[in-house]
Amino acid sequence: MIRRGEVWAAAARSPGGAIVTTAQRFAPRRRTIFRLPLVRGVFAVGDSIRIGLRATSWSQRIARGPDHHESRVEQAVALMVVSSVLGVFVVLPALVGSAVGSTNGTLTAVVEGVARLALFVSYLGLIGLLPGIRRTFQYHGAEHMVISAFEHEGVASIESASRHSVRHPRCGTDLLLLVVVLSVVVFTVLRPGFDVSGVVVRAATLPMVASVAYEFLRLGGHDTLWGRALARPGLMLQRFTTRQPHHAELAVAVAALNVLLNAEHESAQN
């Protein structure tokens, strides 16, 4: 899936091997308040999640075929898996921080944050060993390579994309790392510990943490000294979230970018 401006496009292979594409528009928030720094981040993250879910749902329908219908059992299992993963990331680091930090609030928060960061990176490393996830990471790398080829050479093809890296400084997954790192800093000065009030404080401040992380991500996308410095941690994280793709994955990414460009062209003519 590739997004630019008000248009996002996606490509996926059908069970028969053909590449199927789609391009869709979404209504941006045009009011000034939604574009203010630290405010825009919350809505930008929400839009990214919303578009990502739509693209994922579309690609699953294409990959499984029109006759496949997700059963209630499949939906329940998916909900249980997501809930379990979120529970582990929230509960386990808090328990570790409380056990190690004891009565020292600052130490508790620091240990909890470090544990959450270590758990997050370890999780990415482990799931990357699964064949299905590895293929997903190959598609992720293919997106980056195709986008870099278009940005630097003005053309996107398998040949041009092959000359570029699987890592890109403006990757949406970098936002996750920034949120985790910033939460270590923010939660250090907030109420530590594994209790109801501590969980409530974390939940209330998370949107602001995500907003600040979004601003850092925007700065990291600029080719300046500060921009490259801010982008470096995210590029390191992409070591776990990208894999070198084959021509098959690059072809899908090229198709997604081409349908995006065609949709923009048609929109400009109307």
Side-chain angles (χ1 to χ4, degrees), residues 23-245:
Q24 301 183 27
R25 303 180 66 86
F26 68 99
R29 297 176 175 86
R30 300 186 182 279
R31 295 177 61 179
T32 303
I33 188 174
F34 296 128
R35 298 195 297 270
L36 294 176
L38 298 182
V39 174
R40 61 190 175 189
V42 176
F43 298 100
V45 171
D47 287 342
S48 297
I49 294 174
R50 176 165 56 95
I51 294 171
L53 290 175
R54 287 183 181 178
T56 300
S57 177
W58 174 85
S59 65
Q60 288 178 341
R61 290 197 303 271
I62 297 301
R64 292 175 177 178
D67 297 329
H68 178 85
H69 298 284
E70 191 174 41
S71 66
R72 293 184 179 274
V73 174
E74 289 177 315
Q75 294 175 351
V77 170
L79 180 61
M80 289 176 59
V81 171
V82 172
S83 300
S84 300
V85 171
L86 291 177
V88 168
F89 276 108
V90 173
V91 176
L92 186 58
L95 290 175
V96 172
S98 298
V100 176
S102 185
T103 58
N104 189 322
T106 301
L107 180 60
T108 298
V110 171
V111 171
E112 178 184 340
V114 172
R116 183 171 288 110
L117 179 60
L119 184 64
F120 177 59
V121 175
S122 300
Y123 172 75
L124 290 177
L126 288 174
I127 65 172
L129 300 177
L130 301 174
I133 301 299
R134 176 179 289 272
R135 184 76 179 275
T136 300
F137 288 170
Q138 287 178 312
Y139 277 115
H140 190 197
E143 291 175 0
H144 290 175
M145 295 170 71
V146 169
I147 291 172
S148 293
F150 179 74
E151 290 175 341
H152 291 89
E153 302 181 29
V155 62
S157 64
I158 294 177
E159 180 181 359
S160 62
S162 299
R163 294 191 287 268
H164 294 270
S165 171
V166 296
R167 305 182 191 183
H168 195 281
R170 294 191 309 279
C171 174
T173 57
D174 293 357
L175 182 63
L176 296 176
L177 175 65
L178 289 171
V179 169
V180 173
V181 172
L182 287 176
S183 68
V184 174
V185 179
V186 173
F187 294 164
T188 299
V189 299
L190 297 177
R191 180 181 176 86
F194 184 62
D195 53 25
V196 175
S197 60
V199 173
V200 170
V201 169
R202 286 165 172 75
T205 56
L206 192 58
M208 181 57 67
V209 172
S211 295
V212 175
Y214 176 77
E215 298 301 329
F216 276 113
L217 185 65
R218 285 175 60 92
L219 292 174
H222 296 288
D223 189 17
T224 62
L225 180 62
W226 281 105
R228 290 191 293 270
L230 290 173
R232 186 169 296 278
L235 292 174
M236 293 174 61
L237 176 68
Q238 290 176 35
R239 176 178 180 273
F240 299 98
T241 62
T242 59
R243 295 291 187 274
Q244 190 68 33

